[in-house]
Amino acid sequence: NGAKSGKTKKSKKGNTMPPAPTKPTRKPAGMKPSGESSKKGIDQDHRMNVLLLYADDWRYDTLGVAGNPVVKTPVLDALSQEGVRFTENCVTTSICWVSRATLYSGQYLARHKFKMIGRNFDVPQNEMVYSLLKKHNYTVGHVGKLGLNVELNRSLNFNFYNEYEGWHWKRIGYRLWHVTEKNTADALLFLKNKPKNKPFFLNVAYYATHAVDTDERQYFPQRASMSMYLNDTIFEPEDTYDKMPYFFTQQNEGRNRWRWRFDSHEKHQRMMKNYYRMASEVDTSVGTIVDQLRKSGELNNTMIIFTTDNGYFHAEHGLADKWYPHQESIRVPLIINDPRMDDEYKGTVNDAFTLNVDLTATILSAAGVNVPPTMMGRDMSVLYRNGGLKGDPAMQSRRLAFTNDRRQYPPPAKDGEGIYHSGSESSWRTEFFYELETGFRKGFIPASEALVRKDFKYFYWPQYNFEQLFDIRTDPKEMNDLVNSTELFHQRKLDEMRTRFRELKDLAHSDLAIIL
């Protein structure tokens, strides 16, 4: 079930939390009933501080600890050695504003319907992660990229709010700021000035490593970083754009941006080195912010989450940027360092299909706040607390199963003997529905959907009624489309996944109180 897989070496024993409050909060949604605390002296339902470190355009392997041979991220690497790194964490839509709307709402695009930036953000603001935490007496802060281009009710959602994006260098007052320096300074301002007698939630929404799209140079690191990676040679993927579907023409925006960044050796090296410099700058910023929590004595009561809004093509498939259902685009890093974590999980990796839609439920549950029935994700702490999840996925019922907060787990796929499913009280999801619909013209950024599993992936391009099938086990780079294979096994797999895809799509577009 992915709850304890791929364990790495243990970190040193973690610190404990302050004494428990006298009135424990309600059990977070989806948790198994717990008797005594798994660790003496720690109340499992204590209201945690939550620090969300949310970077931009940063895929799963832009971390030293993930095996990247070039990029240097020592702070995040160390953070993962003290917590859990989720190696199969994905987004349900790979584009900035949709992914952020999912974070704020806990919903798939199919439900929150925020297809185009700046237009029709219809999620009730009293049901967003910010407002729910503020309502429950949290001090709530946001610094950096909000990513919606719509105005939120600041008094309802925030105690501290400083939103900005779109630049790497900017003069503000008498100082020339780099955006990551500004993110750091604002985060420290919040942490130093917030009330000391209330829990807090802070989203440090970095603009890095997003490019400045309007400037052909794209990436502008800090001056002190320019000495990094000078003698490194960045791997350059083969240009395999001719293997993309027939409707991927030279006017496709992913191909346009490939020409901006990657159509020559010199350009590819320069772009990727500057990109990695900006990633290392975020790593340094994280260290500074965590050090402040350590100095203030709050580190031992703070859940720290590092993740990003979407993945990124670094020239794979002849593409740049994101959008499509390929691994490079949908897989993003996730590191959780949680003082409530069982010791056995510290310093481990986990290959469960965690999703960005789970972030909201995880944050609310750490705060002891009930997860609203409109949200579609799940508290990820069940994967590393109280012994993790031990259930056999194949044993769950084919009926709709209810969680503690009355949301439903859909029945598993009819084929596959219960192996493919969206979770149960004792097991984590083993598949999920991916969607991208933006309103852009189809030749520019075509809509795409997928059924994602660890063994096979089914693509559907709805504007062209075009299907693809990939065997991820033998073809992890998704180069060999099996949709026209004459092998009986592939034909049956295609039929089964096509049917299941439609089921999950219908559920995503339903108004059911459901975990997907």
Side-chain angles (χ1 to χ4, degrees):
N1 57 32
K4 297 177 66 176
S5 58
K7 186 178 289 187
T8 62
K9 67 178 182 180
K10 293 283 190 69
S11 64
K12 295 180 181 179
K13 182 174 177 64
N15 296 314
T16 57
M17 286 168 46
T22 56
K23 293 184 180 180
T25 56
R26 178 185 182 276
K27 292 288 188 297
M31 280 187 57
K32 297 179 298 180
S34 58
E36 295 183 353
S37 168
S38 64
K39 287 194 288 185
K40 185 177 179 180
I42 297 181
D43 178 7
Q44 294 289 340
D45 299 310
H46 187 83
R47 284 155 56 87
M48 305 294 296
N49 302 317
V50 181
L51 172 64
L52 175 61
L53 304 158
Y54 196 69
D56 200 309
D57 283 355
W58 181 318
R59 76 186 198 193
Y60 71 99
D61 59 357
T62 305
L63 292 170
V65 74
N68 190 301
V70 177
V71 71
K72 294 178 175 61
T73 54
V75 174
L76 292 170
D77 296 350
L79 198 67
S80 74
Q81 292 299 323
E82 298 168 359
V84 178
R85 180 168 63 90
F86 293 87
T87 59
E88 295 288 342
N89 183 63
C90 295
V91 295
T92 56
T93 301
S94 183
I95 194 167
C96 300
W97 61 85
V98 176
S99 190
R100 290 163 195 272
T102 292
L103 166 66
Y104 307 148
S105 68
Q107 299 172 3
Y108 276 71
L109 168 62
R111 180 164 293 181
H112 66 64
K113 296 181 173 60
F114 189 61
K115 298 178 183 179
M116 182 57 71
I117 189 167
R119 301 180 192 171
N120 303 320
F121 185 71
D122 295 328
V123 176
Q125 290 198 34
N126 63 349
E127 295 180 7
M128 291 172 55
V129 64
Y130 292 119
S131 61
L132 288 168
L133 290 170
K134 191 167 186 287
K135 177 182 177 181
H136 285 82
N137 205 34
Y138 267 66
T139 301
V140 176
H142 176 100
V143 301
K145 180 176 178 177
L146 186 70
L148 302 179
N149 282 14
V150 298
E151 188 67 27
L152 297 183
N153 183 324
R154 296 191 187 185
S155 63
L156 180 67
N157 287 286
F158 307 106
N159 301 98
F160 182 96
Y161 180 84
N162 196 0
E163 189 270 335
Y164 44 88
E165 61 176 287
W167 50 272
H168 290 168
W169 288 95
K170 185 175 182 179
R171 184 166 294 281
I172 303 174
Y174 295 102
R175 176 169 175 176
L176 181 64
W177 286 92
H178 188 273
V179 66
T180 303
E181 292 179 314
K182 182 66 171 150
N183 295 150
T184 310
D186 287 341
L188 294 178
L189 184 65
F190 170 86
L191 291 173
K192 291 177 180 179
N193 293 309
K194 63 177 178 55
K196 303 301 182 185
N197 60 345
K198 293 171 59 178
F200 73 85
F201 170 65
L202 174 62
N203 180 5
V204 185
Y206 295 100
Y207 189 62
T209 51
H210 197 293
V212 178
D213 291 336
T214 56
D215 193 306
E216 64 181 8
R217 294 168 292 178
Q218 299 287 286
Y219 304 104
F220 299 84
Q222 299 170 35
R223 296 180 182 92
S225 304
M226 294 307 295
S227 61
M228 300 182 72
Y229 310 122
L230 289 176
N231 298 318
D232 289 297
T233 301
I234 313 300
F235 173 75
E236 299 178 32
E238 180 185 358
D239 181 6
T240 57
Y241 193 66
D242 59 343
K243 290 184 176 291
M244 294 296 289
Y246 73 90
F247 45 86
F248 273 71
T249 69
Q250 293 301 315
Q251 286 68 52
N252 183 282
E253 182 63 357
R255 189 60 168 175
N256 289 335
R257 297 189 183 202
W258 176 87
R259 286 189 291 268
W260 294 358
R261 299 172 193 157
F262 302 131
D263 66 353
S264 72
H265 170 75
E266 183 279 330
K267 190 184 293 185
H268 191 284
Q269 295 298 309
R270 173 165 45 87
M271 294 289 178
M272 286 303 302
K273 288 180 182 182
N274 282 339
Y275 176 91
Y276 282 159
R277 287 164 182 145
M278 294 189 68
S280 292
E281 291 164 4
V282 170
D283 185 79
T284 299
S285 170
V286 170
T288 301
I289 295 168
V290 172
D291 280 346
Q292 175 58 34
L293 291 175
R294 186 177 292 110
K295 292 174 184 176
S296 66
E298 296 172 293
L299 187 60
N300 297 333
N301 191 38
T302 302
M303 171 194 276
I304 301 173
I305 303 172
F306 173 80
T307 191
T308 71
D309 60 353
N310 48 252
Y312 219 49
F313 293 109
H314 295 161
E316 296 84 4
H317 305 281
L319 294 168
D321 254 85
K322 53 258 184 180
W323 306 304
Y324 308 125
H326 303 83
Q327 299 287 79
E328 297 88 357
S329 174
I330 69 172
R331 290 177 64 192
V332 300
L334 174 63
I335 298 168
I336 298 181
N337 192 316
D338 186 343
R340 304 170 301 166
M341 186 177 295
D342 293 353
D343 284 341
E344 65 179 301
Y345 290 100
K346 294 180 179 179
T348 66
V349 296
N350 186 305
D351 67 353
F353 263 147
T354 51
L355 303 175
N356 62 330
V357 76
D358 297 321
L359 288 168
T360 324
T362 302
I363 293 166
L364 292 176
S365 296
V369 177
N370 294 344
V371 179
T374 55
M375 294 187 177
M376 304 167 80
R378 185 176 185 186
D379 176 15
M380 292 180 283
S381 77
V382 300
L383 292 168
Y384 57 76
R385 296 176 64 198
N386 300 321
L389 294 182
K390 307 293 188 182
D392 183 349
M395 296 301 291
Q396 67 174 330
S397 170
R398 293 187 181 278
R399 298 169 301 181
L400 286 173
F402 286 89
T403 69
N404 291 346
D405 59 9
R406 306 306 292 171
R407 293 184 297 158
Q408 300 171 327
Y409 293 105
K414 296 181 177 64
D415 299 324
E417 299 180 345
I419 294 174
Y420 305 118
H421 60 89
S422 297
S424 70
E425 281 295 305
S426 60
S427 59
W428 198 262
R429 72 172 69 82
T430 60
E431 62 180 1
F432 70 94
F433 169 67
Y434 176 85
E435 56 180 341
L436 174 83
E437 183 183 0
T438 63
F440 289 122
R441 57 182 175 83
K442 64 181 184 180
F444 186 68
I445 300 177
S448 58
E449 300 168 335
L451 172 58
V452 183
R453 294 171 176 169
K454 293 178 187 175
D455 52 1
F456 281 84
K457 192 190 290 187
Y458 169 81
F459 286 25
Y460 183 63
W461 306 88
Q463 293 159 318
Y464 297 91
N465 193 28
F466 190 88
E467 300 175 300
Q468 293 183 286
L469 180 69
F470 296 98
D471 185 340
I472 303 299
R473 303 166 303 176
T474 61
D475 181 28
K477 297 185 182 299
E478 299 163 309
M479 302 298 293
N480 182 26
D481 185 4
L482 301 173
V483 77
N484 294 317
S485 171
T486 58
E487 291 189 25
L488 182 59
F489 173 76
H490 292 151
Q491 293 174 348
R492 288 177 173 171
K493 178 60 69 174
L494 177 62
D495 287 342
E496 182 267 320
M497 292 192 74
R498 181 189 293 128
T499 299
R500 181 60 168 171
F501 163 79
R502 291 168 180 165
E503 291 174 358
L504 293 186
K505 181 177 179 177
D506 287 346
L507 287 168
H509 284 265
S510 75
D511 59 0
L512 288 172
I514 200 164
I515 289 177
L516 206 57

